[in-house]
Amino acid sequence: MEWEVVIGLEIHAQLATTSKIFSGAAIRYGAAPNTQACAIDLGYPGTLPVLNEAAVRMAVKFGLAVDAQIAPRSVFARKNYFYPDLPKGYQISQFELPVVSGGHLDIDLEDGGHKRVGITRAHLEEDAGKSLHEDFHGLTGIDLNRAGTPLLEIVSEPDMRSAKEAVAYMKKLHALVRYLEICDGNMQEGSFRCDANVSVRPRGATRLGTRCEIKNLNSFRFVERAINFEVERQIDVLESGGQIVQETRLYDSVKDETRTMRSKEEANDYRYFPDPDLLPLMIEPAFISTVRATLPELPDARRARFVSQYGLPDYDAAVLTTTRELADYYEQLVTQAPADAKLAANWVMGELAARLNEENLDITESRVSTAQLAGMLVRISDQTISGKLAKQVFEVLWTEGGEADAIIDRLGLRQITDTGAIEAMIDQILADNPAQLAQYRSGKDKLFGFFVGQAMKLTAGKANPAQLNELLRRKLDAE
Amino acid sequence: MSFTIETVRGIAHLARLAVDEPELEAYTQVLSRSLDLLAQINAADTTGITEMAHPLDVAQRLRPDAVTEPDVREACLAQAPAADAGLFLVPKVIE
């Protein structure tokens, strides 16, 4: 039987506020345990939560960016469950009336097409603390620094049909929240994490199959691998006559498998109810307007502009706008070396990206500044150096720093563009290789490359290739 | 509308309350009577009336995003039954 895969994602984006969602405690990552947990975060009696305005602002900003409705009135609810890293015995979240609903995000497919993924809702909630299970002689250590950290939970429609599509959606969302500056997107620190709802059904069926939820996937690679594993598992179960049990599963990246975490049969019934400690959140049109005014140019718009303004192919524009920082780097570079925008794109996507990748660096940590790279691009454009020799200049810029002009002089990489000098050299080469010359002239065209090679050898690659080709052709075909 | 004893047992489990059999019987009756009251309220015609999440007719006030709470770890850990290395210690929990 042919199976169709159905995937929906729930993504938790930690909002980039300086204090918690309901208290004035700090949320700096990596602080000593429990030094950022105040009486409100600890659930002490007599405390009351007060909502952080920046968190609301960020949720609205997200809603506007995905073309969603911003609820004029939304309500906080208590999600009740017992776990030691949840000191109040409930998580403050939103249930029936979330702040954002009904948006969408367009993703690129591998075949070059596009797909619109629905965003069901996005709601504000607080994070729980952390449990540490090691090293405490049979006890569990609890760190409540993270308790009360603001999260935006972004829930998609079950619109994705493969692990690749799910990853494309997640990457697009990741880029978006960083463009919006509402989330730092640091997946290792858990600032952006994903739960995947996965089911399969016979192709053509309209009813959804029973789904499993895979929890806490904190890298794009794990999302893809976990979904692929889970799809295989479900198909195996169904094809051997079994039934899928609705349950929560954990992905084990070491064994590359998912396994049961808890089954929904005795699942948590969270007994949601409106939190009496919090009044309804009312969002006025004026508030939405002020947030709208802070929206930056969004990735899709920037990509389209890169095509129209710089004449880049859509592929290049898509790659260069993957992150706001990369797009900023590119635009700064083009401002400094405006002669050839495509050349700049090639270097950023080629040599620079390769070096960053090799050393596992972010574009903001690039060892070559836009000014340094621009200095070199200008010398390629004005033919001082060839693109091939520029790689040597780039290497020095990367490893030692400095300025392109000084490096070109020091390494003697200036292109030979003096027609007289090139001609004299060609005459010499033809005189030194009479046998090859005779063969060429008797029709062995392939030997053209031999003469080019000789010239490049004599000039250590510095002869201007276009000039050399032209002059050489003229001399060889002279008789 | 009424509760079954099984539902009450389930609720007690979710709330982590130890309720013995005779108590379960009693709660089943009492909670069912509460439901009857709610059914009566439910019967009122509320067409066109916005549901109320809170008895006060005011909106949530917002707080500026600033750190105002100092580090109170030592005071809080001192009240915990067990603490070590800056952490609260609790009986082992692993799912």
Side-chain angles (χ1 to χ4, degrees):
Chain A
M1 186 180 308
E2 259 217 77
W3 297 94
E4 182 180 47
V5 178
V6 178
I7 303 161
L9 297 184
E10 294 170 15
I11 286 175
H12 288 86
Q14 182 183 319
L15 296 174
T17 56
T18 52
S19 66
K20 293 191 173 171
I21 184 167
F22 296 117
S23 85
I27 53 170
R28 197 167 49 80
Y29 183 82
N34 290 310
T35 53
Q36 298 184 150
C38 72
I40 295 173
D41 311 323
L42 293 172
Y44 268 52
T47 59
L48 281 176
V50 187
L51 184 57
N52 185 335
E53 191 206 15
V56 176
R57 201 169 275 281
M58 290 175 186
V60 170
K61 203 172 181 184
F62 174 78
L64 293 174
V66 296
D67 221 1
Q69 281 94 50
I70 310 299
R73 176 175 171 280
S74 67
V75 169
F76 285 95
R78 290 185 180 181
K79 176 178 178 177
N80 298 280
Y81 66 93
F82 293 104
Y83 208 71
D85 57 23
L86 187 78
K88 295 194 299 296
Y90 59 87
Q91 176 195 27
I92 305 178
S93 181
Q94 296 191 302
F95 188 53
E96 284 174 322
L97 298 167
V99 61
V100 169
S101 60
H104 57 81
L105 203 63
D106 294 332
I107 58 170
D108 292 334
L109 303 179
E110 279 198 316
D111 63 7
H114 306 278
K115 178 172 195 166
R116 175 156 288 189
V117 176
I119 291 175
T120 318
R121 57 185 276 157
H123 63 255
L124 284 164
E125 64 182 25
E126 60 178 345
D127 207 346
K130 262 185 193 154
S131 301
L132 299 138
H133 300 292
E134 292 88 26
D135 298 336
F136 298 102
H137 314 289
L139 296 171
T140 293
I142 305 290
D143 174 8
L144 295 170
N145 278 351
R146 203 179 62 181
T149 298
L151 300 178
L152 189 66
E153 179 174 333
I154 303 158
V155 182
S156 86
E157 291 288 313
D159 284 347
M160 287 149 283
R161 293 291 173 272
S162 69
K164 286 231 173 345
E165 284 184 22
V167 171
Y169 166 80
M170 190 175 168
K171 283 189 171 163
K172 192 83 188 260
L173 201 60
H174 185 253
L176 181 64
V177 296
R178 293 176 69 215
Y179 262 84
L180 296 171
E181 294 181 317
I182 62 172
C183 172
D184 68 17
N186 190 324
M187 296 170 80
Q188 263 147 18
E189 292 176 5
S191 300
F192 189 87
R193 44 193 206 259
C194 172
D195 302 339
N197 284 302
V198 179
S199 65
V200 299
R201 62 181 171 189
R203 190 168 295 284
T206 47
R207 261 191 56 207
L208 290 173
T210 304
R211 71 187 156 88
C212 290
E213 182 179 11
I214 315 169
K215 279 277 184 201
N216 261 337
L217 299 163
N218 65 353
S219 86
F220 297 122
R221 202 158 48 98
F222 290 168
V223 167
E224 183 165 352
R225 283 165 53 180
I227 291 174
N228 283 332
F229 174 87
E230 181 59 18
V231 166
E232 288 300 312
R233 186 190 71 86
Q234 291 188 14
I235 292 174
D236 281 352
V237 169
L238 293 171
E239 289 191 338
S240 58
Q243 279 194 328
I244 302 298
V245 180
Q246 187 177 341
E247 61 184 359
T248 304
R249 300 178 68 85
L250 262 187
Y251 176 65
D252 182 332
S253 59
V254 179
K255 292 187 185 153
D256 190 24
E257 62 175 31
T258 66
R259 57 169 179 268
T260 301
M261 186 168 138
R262 54 175 180 252
S263 109
K264 285 266 171 183
E265 274 170 47
E266 54 177 272
N268 293 297
D269 174 342
Y270 292 119
R271 296 160 296 145
Y272 281 97
F273 64 89
D275 190 329
D277 286 347
L278 287 155
L279 294 158
L281 170 63
M282 311 296 272
I283 297 178
E284 306 285 339
F287 183 86
I288 297 176
S289 304
T290 60
V291 175
R292 195 186 295 277
T294 65
L295 278 182
E297 184 181 27
L298 298 177
D300 286 348
R302 200 167 191 185
R303 170 173 164 182
R305 183 170 60 78
F306 275 21
V307 172
S308 61
Q309 184 176 344
Y310 302 121
L312 295 180
D314 183 57
Y315 173 81
D316 294 26
V319 171
L320 292 170
T321 52
T322 324
T323 70
R324 188 171 177 168
E325 292 80 6
L326 183 63
D328 287 347
Y329 185 98
Y330 174 73
E331 288 219 87
Q332 208 175 0
L333 180 64
V334 174
T335 318
Q336 291 161 330
D340 192 341
K342 174 63 179 147
L343 179 71
N346 291 347
W347 276 86
V348 171
M349 293 163 36
E351 216 71 10
L352 181 66
R355 288 312 292 261
L356 290 170
N357 198 25
E358 233 167 69
E359 299 188 21
N360 210 6
L361 294 174
D362 190 76
I363 184 71
T364 56
E365 304 163 308
S366 170
R367 299 195 200 287
V368 176
S369 72
T370 56
Q372 285 173 305
L373 187 53
M376 190 192 87
L377 293 181
V378 167
R379 293 298 166 243
I380 301 176
S381 296
D382 72 9
Q383 306 219 332
T384 304
I385 50 171
S386 67
K388 202 168 169 194
L389 291 184
K391 290 191 179 174
Q392 293 182 36
V393 179
F394 182 82
E395 180 64 27
V396 176
L397 284 173
W398 184 271
T399 50
E400 297 168 27
E403 270 184 69
D405 280 342
I407 296 166
I408 292 166
D409 284 339
R410 196 179 76 201
L411 300 184
L413 297 178
R414 236 166 245 286
Q415 263 192 131
I416 299 166
T417 53
D418 175 351
T419 310
I422 297 176
E423 277 183 328
M425 176 185 63
I426 293 173
D427 288 340
Q428 187 62 49
I429 292 170
L430 299 188
D432 289 348
N433 300 282
Q436 284 85 350
L437 179 61
Q439 285 178 19
Y440 176 85
R441 287 193 172 148
S442 64
K444 211 168 171 196
D445 287 355
K446 276 191 203 150
L447 277 169
F448 188 76
F450 164 79
F451 293 108
V452 172
Q454 292 298 309
M456 284 301 181
K457 208 158 116 190
L458 277 176
T459 58
K462 286 181 288 183
N464 176 292
Q467 245 177 324
L468 174 67
N469 279 353
E470 195 200 317
L471 293 171
L472 186 61
R473 175 101 40 211
R474 205 186 297 161
K475 293 246 175 212
L476 284 170
D477 299 347
E479 275 165 49
Chain B
M1 198 172 168
S2 66
F3 269 113
T4 65
I5 197 156
E6 280 319 307
T7 313
V8 176
R9 206 192 304 276
I11 296 169
H13 172 70
L14 286 171
R16 302 295 187 269
L17 294 173
V19 180
D20 60 29
E21 286 301 314
E23 280 179 316
L24 278 178
E25 285 285 353
Y27 278 124
T28 303
Q29 285 174 27
V30 172
L31 288 172
S32 294
R33 285 214 299 277
S34 303
L35 273 193
D36 291 342
L37 178 64
L38 290 171
Q40 220 177 328
I41 296 172
N42 252 345
D45 181 10
T46 55
T47 327
I49 297 170
T50 315
E51 101 236 36
M52 199 168 59
H54 203 278
L56 300 180
D57 189 18
V58 282
Q60 179 63 39
R61 271 185 57 190
L62 301 179
R63 175 178 64 78
D65 180 26
V67 175
T68 54
E69 297 293 330
D71 171 12
V72 290
R73 179 171 86 175
E74 294 319 314
C76 293
L77 288 182
Q79 295 175 23
D84 186 21
L87 298 163
F88 297 97
L89 295 186
V90 300
K92 190 145 199 137
V93 270
I94 285 196
E95 286 199 52

